[in-house]
Amino acid sequence: FLFSPDWDMMKNPRLWIDALSQNAVDTGAGWGEFLVIASNMAANQGSVQTGVVVPSANNFVSLVSGGMIFSAVFALYSKISPGASREGIVKLLQENGVANTGLTFIWMPILFSNMTGGRVIASLFFLMLTLAGFSSYIVMVNTSVQPLEDIGLRRELAVVATLLTMFIM
C-alpha cells in the first residue's frame, strides 16, 4: 500500500500540489517558520543546504515511520482477522479516523498492548509525540513573536501578547 503507487494518479496535478503542500506544512515552510529560523541562523550556515536537508530528513523519517506503522497495522490486523482480504485492509485504512488519527490512537495502543514492556514503550511514544507537538508550537509562537520584536516590543511582552491572542482565538 505504501510503496505500491497507483501510477495513473501520478498524472494528476492535484496529487503533486497536495504532496508539496503537506511537505511545506510538515517542515514549517508553509507556516513561514523558515523565515524566522533563517533570521536566527549564523552567517556560516547555508540557507540552501538547510532548505534541502530539512525537507529530505523530514521525508526520510516519514517514510520509515510509515513503513513501520503500516507493517504493524497489517501484522496485527492479520492476527486479529485471519484470512483478511486486501479489500478488508483498504476498508480498514479508509475508515481509520480523520487524517488517519486511528493509526496513532487506535493501532499504536493495540501494538503496544501486544508487546513485552508495551506500557513503558507506549508511555514513551505518547510523551515523545506530545513533545514533538510542543516543539512545533514553540516555533509557531516565535513566528508571531519575531515581527512584534522587530517593531520594538520587548520579547517577554511579545510572547505574552501572542500567547494571549492564541488562547482567545
Side-chain angles (χ1 to χ4, degrees), residues 98-114:
V98 179
N100 283 324
T101 53
L103 290 175
T104 303
F105 297 108
I106 295 172
W107 285 100
M108 293 309 289
I110 293 171
L111 171 68
F112 295 136
S113 71
N114 285 289

Side-chain angles (χ1 to χ4, degrees), residues 69-131:
I69 289 175
F70 280 110
S71 297
V73 168
F74 294 152
L76 284 170
Y77 187 69
S78 62
K79 185 178 177 182
I80 294 169
S81 303
S85 67
R86 179 181 175 97
E87 292 78 25
I89 293 173
V90 169
K91 184 178 178 188
L92 171 78
L93 291 174
Q94 288 172 341
E95 298 173 352
N96 216 10
V98 179
N100 283 324
T101 53
L103 290 175
T104 303
F105 297 108
I106 295 172
W107 285 100
M108 293 309 289
I110 293 171
L111 171 68
F112 295 136
S113 71
N114 285 289
M115 296 171 60
T116 303
R119 286 181 187 253
V120 173
I121 295 172
S123 299
L124 290 172
F125 173 80
F126 286 108
L127 174 66
M128 293 299 122
L129 188 63
T130 302
L131 292 176

Side-chain angles (χ1 to χ4, degrees), residues 20-31 33 58 140:
L20 291 171
S21 299
Q22 179 63 41
N23 199 295
V25 170
D26 273 358
T27 59
W31 296 101
E33 293 170 4
N58 175 67
M140 284 181 152

Side-chain angles (χ1 to χ4, degrees), residues 4 28 153:
S4 54
L153 215 57

